[in-house]
Amino acid sequence: MTTKRLLLIHKNPTIGEVIQACLTDVVGWKVEVAGSTLEGLRQASSYQPDAIILEVSIGEIDGVRFLKQLKSQPETQGIPVVLLTLKAKWSNLQQSWFHKSQLAAAIVNPLEPTMLAVEIAKVLGWDLD
């Protein structure tokens, strides 16, 4: 298995560090953290992650703008985005919104932190072996 590179966009630095540590320690993925969607756009272009984990409570408007800008740039348009949210309603978004925004999935948090990698791998079709 090749090491996956993820970009985590999370406004809370402490929670971002915990998520980064879980993904790094549990499955050995390389995880960069951005504290805002603007910073995330810059890092996505230069870091070229295999996937982006976007914490949605950053702001619904910021998240939508981020997705539009990410998908409009040739160098980042193919990067899958997984929403990480505390709000269960995001996990039940209409399929048309998912399709239009080109989202891979939404994961409702909190969940067992050590299981986050399993959930991400499952929704992206990645093998953890």
Side-chain angles (χ1 to χ4, degrees):
M1 175 183 84
T2 60
T3 300
K4 297 295 185 185
R5 296 163 37 103
L6 278 77
L7 173 60
L8 170 66
I9 302 173
H10 204 293
K11 70 178 178 194
N12 184 316
T14 303
I15 295 173
E17 287 176 16
V18 170
I19 293 171
Q20 180 183 34
C22 285
L23 296 176
T24 301
D25 295 345
V26 173
V27 290
W29 291 342
K30 294 180 181 179
V31 180
E32 291 290 320
V33 180
S36 70
T37 53
L38 181 60
E39 181 184 347
L41 279 172
R42 285 190 288 247
Q43 286 189 13
S45 292
S46 61
Y47 184 58
Q48 289 294 299
D50 295 304
I52 295 172
I53 309 303
L54 174 64
E55 190 260 332
V56 188
S57 66
I58 284 178
E60 186 175 329
I61 300 299
D62 283 348
V64 171
R65 283 187 194 142
F66 169 80
L67 290 167
K68 284 181 181 177
Q69 290 179 355
L70 183 80
K71 297 304 181 179
S72 72
Q73 298 175 15
E75 67 273 11
T76 58
Q77 65 186 2
I79 301 171
V81 178
V82 175
L83 299 180
L84 182 63
T85 181
L86 292 171
K87 299 177 183 178
K89 71 175 188 156
W90 279 100
S91 67
N92 298 319
L93 288 173
Q94 296 178 357
Q95 289 297 328
S96 62
W97 196 88
F98 263 71
H99 181 69
K100 186 171 32 174
S101 300
Q102 300 176 18
L103 293 171
I107 297 175
V108 179
N109 201 23
L111 51 91
E112 177 62 36
T114 58
M115 293 300 294
L116 184 57
V118 173
E119 291 294 321
I120 292 169
K122 184 169 115 180
V123 299
L124 294 176
W126 292 351
D127 189 8
L128 287 178
D129 295 330

